Amino acid sequence: MKNRFLLTLLAAILSITYSMAQLSKTVHVSTPGTLSSLLGNDINRVSDLNLKGSINSTYFSIIKSMSVLKNLDLKQVNLPNNTLPSNAFSHKKLEKIVLPNTLEIIE
């Protein structure tokens, strides 16, 4: 009986911890190179990210480093030359990606 209680308690704690780790965030990038600072301490808690504004290829390395990111919305993002780098999402598992409206080329 005691083991069952401890197991239930552990499951509850893990569930609460996991749900606290997930965060939805919308970030408007007005100055290139500021994504890390705009995300701040939340960078490894964001599971759903909606980016707006202008981004460059360095942003994709930041996106790939976000440990709990599952859903990425780039619909309102402007990319240089309307081009998505070929390695933009390499080695990153995402459940959903919304590509930019202005996207013309995927390298």
Side-chain angles (χ1 to χ4, degrees):
M1 185 69 171
K2 184 178 180 181
N3 287 342
R4 189 172 190 176
F5 172 75
L6 291 175
L7 186 59
T8 303
L9 181 62
L10 178 61
I13 290 170
L14 289 175
S15 177
I16 291 169
T17 302
Y18 181 74
S19 67
M20 288 175 57
Q22 295 186 8
L23 177 68
S24 294
K25 197 156 192 165
T26 297
V27 177
H28 187 276
V29 181
S30 56
T31 305
T34 59
L35 180 59
S36 288
S37 62
L38 291 170
L39 290 171
N41 293 331
D42 292 335
I43 195 163
N44 288 314
R45 292 184 54 224
V46 176
S47 60
D48 300 310
L49 179 61
N50 181 350
L51 281 179
K52 298 179 180 188
S54 296
I55 67 171
N56 56 38
S57 59
T58 60
Y59 282 69
F60 292 103
S61 60
I62 296 167
I63 289 167
K64 288 189 279 189
S65 75
M66 297 174 71
S67 58
V68 298
L69 184 64
K70 293 180 182 175
N71 301 303
L72 178 62
D73 186 341
L74 300 173
K75 185 176 183 176
Q76 297 179 47
V77 160
N78 297 312
L79 295 168
N81 301 318
N82 298 324
T83 302
L84 185 69
S86 61
N87 63 347
F89 306 112
S90 62
H91 308 291
K92 180 66 178 171
K93 184 178 179 181
L94 295 169
E95 292 177 8
K96 181 179 178 184
I97 302 172
V98 178
L99 296 174
N101 286 336
T102 58
L103 181 64
E104 294 177 4
I105 300 169
I106 299 176
E107 291 183 329

